[in-house]
Short mmCIF file of all heavy atoms in Angstrom, two decimals:
data_model
loop_
_atom_site.label_atom_id
_atom_site.label_comp_id
_atom_site.label_asym_id
_atom_site.label_seq_id
_atom_site.Cartn_x
_atom_site.Cartn_y
_atom_site.Cartn_z
N ARG A 234 122.33 107.95 94.91
CA ARG A 234 123.21 109.12 94.98
C ARG A 234 122.50 110.30 95.64
O ARG A 234 123.10 111.03 96.42
CB ARG A 234 123.68 109.51 93.58
CG ARG A 234 124.60 110.71 93.56
CD ARG A 234 125.08 111.00 92.16
NE ARG A 234 125.96 112.17 92.15
CZ ARG A 234 126.53 112.65 91.05
NH1 ARG A 234 126.34 112.05 89.89
NH2 ARG A 234 127.30 113.71 91.11
N ALA A 235 121.22 110.48 95.33
CA ALA A 235 120.46 111.57 95.94
C ALA A 235 120.39 111.42 97.45
O ALA A 235 120.56 112.39 98.20
CB ALA A 235 119.05 111.63 95.35
N THR A 238 123.96 111.90 99.14
CA THR A 238 124.47 113.28 99.14
C THR A 238 123.48 114.27 99.73
O THR A 238 123.68 115.47 99.66
CB THR A 238 124.82 113.71 97.70
OG1 THR A 238 123.66 113.57 96.86
CG2 THR A 238 125.95 112.86 97.14
N HIS A 239 122.38 113.75 100.29
CA HIS A 239 121.37 114.58 100.98
C HIS A 239 120.70 115.60 100.04
O HIS A 239 120.49 116.76 100.41
CB HIS A 239 121.99 115.30 102.18
CG HIS A 239 122.65 114.36 103.15
ND1 HIS A 239 121.94 113.47 103.94
CD2 HIS A 239 123.95 114.16 103.45
CE1 HIS A 239 122.78 112.77 104.68
NE2 HIS A 239 124.00 113.16 104.40
N ALA A 240 120.40 115.16 98.82
CA ALA A 240 119.64 116.00 97.90
C ALA A 240 118.16 115.96 98.29
O ALA A 240 117.67 114.96 98.80
CB ALA A 240 119.81 115.51 96.46
N SER A 241 117.46 117.04 98.04
CA SER A 241 116.03 117.08 98.37
C SER A 241 115.16 116.71 97.17
O SER A 241 114.01 116.32 97.34
CB SER A 241 115.63 118.48 98.86
OG SER A 241 115.87 119.46 97.87
N ASP A 242 115.70 116.84 95.95
CA ASP A 242 114.93 116.53 94.74
C ASP A 242 115.86 115.98 93.67
O ASP A 242 117.05 116.30 93.62
CB ASP A 242 114.25 117.79 94.17
CG ASP A 242 113.32 118.46 95.15
OD1 ASP A 242 112.14 118.10 95.17
OD2 ASP A 242 113.78 119.36 95.88
N ILE A 243 115.27 115.15 92.79
CA ILE A 243 115.96 114.69 91.57
C ILE A 243 115.12 115.15 90.39
O ILE A 243 113.92 114.85 90.32
CB ILE A 243 116.10 113.16 91.53
CG1 ILE A 243 116.64 112.61 92.85
CG2 ILE A 243 116.98 112.74 90.36
CD1 ILE A 243 116.57 111.10 92.94
N HIS A 244 115.72 115.85 89.44
CA HIS A 244 115.03 116.30 88.23
C HIS A 244 115.62 115.55 87.04
O HIS A 244 116.83 115.66 86.77
CB HIS A 244 115.21 117.81 88.04
CG HIS A 244 114.50 118.64 89.06
ND1 HIS A 244 113.46 119.49 88.74
CD2 HIS A 244 114.67 118.73 90.39
CE1 HIS A 244 113.03 120.08 89.85
NE2 HIS A 244 113.75 119.64 90.86
N ILE A 245 114.79 114.81 86.33
CA ILE A 245 115.21 114.07 85.14
C ILE A 245 114.46 114.67 83.95
O ILE A 245 113.24 114.55 83.85
CB ILE A 245 114.91 112.57 85.29
CG1 ILE A 245 115.64 112.01 86.53
CG2 ILE A 245 115.32 111.81 84.03
CD1 ILE A 245 115.27 110.60 86.88
N GLU A 246 115.23 115.33 83.06
CA GLU A 246 114.61 116.17 82.03
C GLU A 246 115.13 115.80 80.64
O GLU A 246 116.31 115.97 80.36
CB GLU A 246 114.95 117.64 82.32
CG GLU A 246 114.52 118.08 83.71
CD GLU A 246 115.26 119.32 84.21
OE1 GLU A 246 116.50 119.37 84.07
OE2 GLU A 246 114.60 120.23 84.72
N ARG A 251 119.94 115.39 74.64
CA ARG A 251 120.53 114.87 75.87
C ARG A 251 119.45 114.67 76.93
O ARG A 251 118.34 115.19 76.82
CB ARG A 251 121.61 115.80 76.42
CG ARG A 251 121.08 117.15 76.90
CD ARG A 251 122.25 118.07 77.24
NE ARG A 251 121.79 119.35 77.75
CZ ARG A 251 122.03 119.80 78.96
NH1 ARG A 251 122.71 119.06 79.82
NH2 ARG A 251 121.61 120.98 79.34
N ARG A 253 119.06 115.41 80.84
CA ARG A 253 119.71 116.16 81.92
C ARG A 253 119.21 115.65 83.27
O ARG A 253 118.01 115.50 83.50
CB ARG A 253 119.42 117.65 81.79
CG ARG A 253 120.12 118.49 82.86
CD ARG A 253 120.04 119.96 82.56
NE ARG A 253 118.68 120.48 82.76
CZ ARG A 253 118.35 121.76 82.62
NH1 ARG A 253 119.28 122.64 82.24
NH2 ARG A 253 117.11 122.16 82.83
N VAL A 254 120.15 115.39 84.19
CA VAL A 254 119.83 114.99 85.57
C VAL A 254 120.37 116.08 86.50
O VAL A 254 121.55 116.43 86.42
CB VAL A 254 120.46 113.63 85.92
CG1 VAL A 254 120.19 113.29 87.39
CG2 VAL A 254 119.88 112.54 85.02
N ARG A 255 119.49 116.60 87.35
CA ARG A 255 119.91 117.62 88.31
C ARG A 255 119.44 117.23 89.70
O ARG A 255 118.36 116.65 89.88
CB ARG A 255 119.33 118.99 87.94
CG ARG A 255 119.86 119.56 86.64
CD ARG A 255 119.42 120.98 86.40
NE ARG A 255 118.00 121.08 86.14
CZ ARG A 255 117.34 122.24 86.05
NH1 ARG A 255 117.98 123.38 86.21
NH2 ARG A 255 116.04 122.24 85.79
N TYR A 256 120.26 117.56 90.69
CA TYR A 256 119.93 117.33 92.09
C TYR A 256 119.81 118.69 92.78
O TYR A 256 120.59 119.61 92.50
CB TYR A 256 121.03 116.51 92.79
CG TYR A 256 121.18 115.10 92.26
CD1 TYR A 256 122.09 114.80 91.26
CD2 TYR A 256 120.41 114.07 92.77
CE1 TYR A 256 122.23 113.51 90.77
CE2 TYR A 256 120.55 112.77 92.31
CZ TYR A 256 121.46 112.50 91.30
OH TYR A 256 121.58 111.22 90.84
N ARG A 257 118.84 118.78 93.69
CA ARG A 257 118.67 120.04 94.44
C ARG A 257 119.31 119.88 95.81
O ARG A 257 118.94 119.01 96.59
CB ARG A 257 117.19 120.40 94.59
CG ARG A 257 116.98 121.81 95.18
CD ARG A 257 115.50 122.12 95.37
NE ARG A 257 114.78 122.18 94.13
CZ ARG A 257 114.74 123.26 93.33
NH1 ARG A 257 115.42 124.34 93.66
NH2 ARG A 257 114.04 123.24 92.22
N TYR A 258 120.28 120.74 96.08
CA TYR A 258 120.95 120.77 97.37
C TYR A 258 120.72 122.14 98.02
O TYR A 258 121.01 123.17 97.40
CB TYR A 258 122.46 120.55 97.23
CG TYR A 258 122.85 119.22 96.63
CD1 TYR A 258 123.31 119.14 95.32
CD2 TYR A 258 122.75 118.06 97.37
CE1 TYR A 258 123.67 117.92 94.77
CE2 TYR A 258 123.11 116.84 96.82
CZ TYR A 258 123.56 116.78 95.53
OH TYR A 258 123.91 115.57 94.98
N ASP A 259 120.18 122.13 99.23
CA ASP A 259 119.96 123.37 99.97
C ASP A 259 119.19 124.39 99.14
O ASP A 259 119.49 125.59 99.15
CB ASP A 259 121.30 123.97 100.42
CG ASP A 259 122.08 123.01 101.30
OD1 ASP A 259 121.45 122.22 102.02
OD2 ASP A 259 123.32 123.04 101.25
N GLY A 260 118.22 123.90 98.38
CA GLY A 260 117.35 124.79 97.62
C GLY A 260 117.87 125.20 96.26
O GLY A 260 117.18 125.91 95.52
N VAL A 261 119.08 124.78 95.87
CA VAL A 261 119.67 125.17 94.60
C VAL A 261 119.96 123.93 93.76
O VAL A 261 120.51 122.94 94.27
CB VAL A 261 120.98 125.98 94.82
CG1 VAL A 261 121.61 126.36 93.49
CG2 VAL A 261 120.69 127.22 95.65
N LEU A 262 119.60 123.97 92.47
CA LEU A 262 119.80 122.83 91.59
C LEU A 262 121.25 122.77 91.09
O LEU A 262 121.84 123.79 90.74
CB LEU A 262 118.85 122.90 90.39
CG LEU A 262 117.39 122.54 90.67
CD1 LEU A 262 116.51 122.96 89.49
CD2 LEU A 262 117.23 121.06 90.95
N HIS A 263 121.79 121.53 91.04
CA HIS A 263 123.13 121.29 90.52
C HIS A 263 123.06 120.17 89.51
O HIS A 263 122.47 119.12 89.77
CB HIS A 263 124.09 120.91 91.65
CG HIS A 263 124.29 121.96 92.69
ND1 HIS A 263 125.34 122.85 92.67
CD2 HIS A 263 123.55 122.30 93.77
CE1 HIS A 263 125.26 123.68 93.70
NE2 HIS A 263 124.16 123.36 94.39
N GLU A 264 123.69 120.37 88.35
CA GLU A 264 123.64 119.35 87.30
C GLU A 264 124.67 118.26 87.57
O GLU A 264 125.79 118.52 88.00
CB GLU A 264 123.90 119.99 85.94
CG GLU A 264 123.69 119.03 84.78
CD GLU A 264 123.62 119.72 83.43
OE1 GLU A 264 123.61 120.96 83.39
OE2 GLU A 264 123.58 119.01 82.41
N ALA A 265 124.27 117.02 87.31
CA ALA A 265 125.15 115.87 87.46
C ALA A 265 125.45 115.29 86.09
O ALA A 265 124.73 115.56 85.11
CB ALA A 265 124.51 114.81 88.34
N GLU A 266 126.50 114.49 85.99
CA GLU A 266 126.78 113.81 84.73
C GLU A 266 125.64 112.86 84.43
O GLU A 266 125.23 112.07 85.28
CB GLU A 266 128.11 113.05 84.81
CG GLU A 266 128.57 112.56 83.46
CD GLU A 266 130.01 112.05 83.48
OE1 GLU A 266 130.69 112.26 84.49
OE2 GLU A 266 130.42 111.45 82.48
N SER A 267 125.12 112.96 83.21
CA SER A 267 123.85 112.31 82.90
C SER A 267 124.02 111.09 82.01
O SER A 267 125.00 110.99 81.25
CB SER A 267 122.91 113.31 82.22
OG SER A 267 122.72 114.44 83.04
N ARG A 495 120.37 129.44 102.91
CA ARG A 495 121.44 128.45 103.06
C ARG A 495 122.38 128.84 104.20
O ARG A 495 122.74 130.01 104.35
CB ARG A 495 122.23 128.32 101.76
CG ARG A 495 121.45 127.68 100.64
CD ARG A 495 122.30 127.48 99.40
NE ARG A 495 122.62 128.76 98.76
CZ ARG A 495 123.44 128.88 97.73
NH1 ARG A 495 124.03 127.82 97.22
NH2 ARG A 495 123.67 130.07 97.20
N CYS A 537 131.25 120.67 101.79
CA CYS A 537 130.04 121.36 101.29
C CYS A 537 129.93 121.28 99.78
O CYS A 537 129.26 122.11 99.16
CB CYS A 537 130.03 122.81 101.76
SG CYS A 537 131.46 123.78 101.22
N ARG A 538 130.60 120.26 99.15
CA ARG A 538 130.59 120.09 97.70
C ARG A 538 131.06 121.34 96.98
O ARG A 538 130.56 121.69 95.91
CB ARG A 538 129.18 119.70 97.20
CG ARG A 538 128.63 118.42 97.79
CD ARG A 538 127.23 118.13 97.28
NE ARG A 538 126.32 119.23 97.56
CZ ARG A 538 125.72 119.42 98.72
NH1 ARG A 538 125.89 118.56 99.69
NH2 ARG A 538 124.93 120.45 98.90
N SER A 539 131.99 122.06 97.61
CA SER A 539 132.62 123.27 97.04
C SER A 539 131.63 124.40 96.80
O SER A 539 131.88 125.29 95.99
CB SER A 539 133.35 122.92 95.72
OG SER A 539 134.35 121.97 95.95
N THR A 540 130.51 124.40 97.51
CA THR A 540 129.52 125.48 97.36
C THR A 540 129.68 126.57 98.41
O THR A 540 129.22 127.69 98.22
CB THR A 540 128.08 124.92 97.47
OG1 THR A 540 127.88 124.38 98.78
CG2 THR A 540 127.84 123.83 96.43
N GLY A 541 130.29 126.23 99.54
CA GLY A 541 130.41 127.20 100.63
C GLY A 541 129.23 127.16 101.58
O GLY A 541 129.23 127.85 102.61
N TYR A 542 128.21 126.36 101.25
CA TYR A 542 127.00 126.28 102.08
C TYR A 542 126.72 124.83 102.43
O TYR A 542 126.97 123.92 101.63
CB TYR A 542 125.79 126.86 101.34
CG TYR A 542 125.90 128.33 101.01
CD1 TYR A 542 126.36 128.76 99.76
CD2 TYR A 542 125.55 129.30 101.95
CE1 TYR A 542 126.46 130.10 99.45
CE2 TYR A 542 125.64 130.65 101.64
CZ TYR A 542 126.10 131.04 100.40
OH TYR A 542 126.19 132.38 100.11
N LYS A 543 126.15 124.62 103.61
CA LYS A 543 125.78 123.28 104.04
C LYS A 543 124.54 123.34 104.92
O LYS A 543 124.59 123.81 106.05
CB LYS A 543 126.94 122.63 104.81
CG LYS A 543 126.75 121.15 105.09
CD LYS A 543 127.99 120.55 105.71
CE LYS A 543 127.80 119.05 105.94
NZ LYS A 543 129.00 118.45 106.55
N GLY A 544 123.42 122.89 104.40
CA GLY A 544 122.17 122.93 105.14
C GLY A 544 121.45 124.27 104.97
O GLY A 544 121.95 125.20 104.33
N GLU A 600 122.46 135.73 100.50
CA GLU A 600 121.41 134.74 100.67
C GLU A 600 120.12 135.39 101.16
O GLU A 600 119.03 135.06 100.71
CB GLU A 600 121.85 133.67 101.68
CG GLU A 600 122.51 132.47 101.07
CD GLU A 600 121.58 131.71 100.14
OE1 GLU A 600 120.63 131.08 100.62
OE2 GLU A 600 121.80 131.76 98.93
N ARG A 603 118.63 137.32 98.31
CA ARG A 603 118.10 136.39 97.30
C ARG A 603 116.79 135.76 97.73
O ARG A 603 115.86 135.61 96.94
CB ARG A 603 119.13 135.29 97.03
CG ARG A 603 118.70 134.27 95.99
CD ARG A 603 119.68 133.11 95.89
NE ARG A 603 119.70 132.30 97.09
CZ ARG A 603 118.83 131.31 97.33
NH1 ARG A 603 117.88 131.05 96.45
NH2 ARG A 603 118.90 130.60 98.43
#
Side-chain angles (χ1 to χ4, degrees):
R234 180 177 179 180
T238 57
H239 304 291
S241 61
D242 302 270
I243 312 170
H244 292 244
I245 301 172
E246 304 159 313
R251 67 188 182 117
R253 183 169 71 177
V254 176
R255 294 188 291 172
Y256 295 93
R257 189 182 295 277
Y258 299 106
D259 302 328
V261 178
L262 284 167
H263 297 264
E264 187 167 353
E266 191 168 350
S267 303
R495 291 184 290 174
C537 59
R538 301 178 303 278
S539 299
T540 63
Y542 297 95
K543 190 174 182 180
E600 267 298 290
R603 180 187 67 84

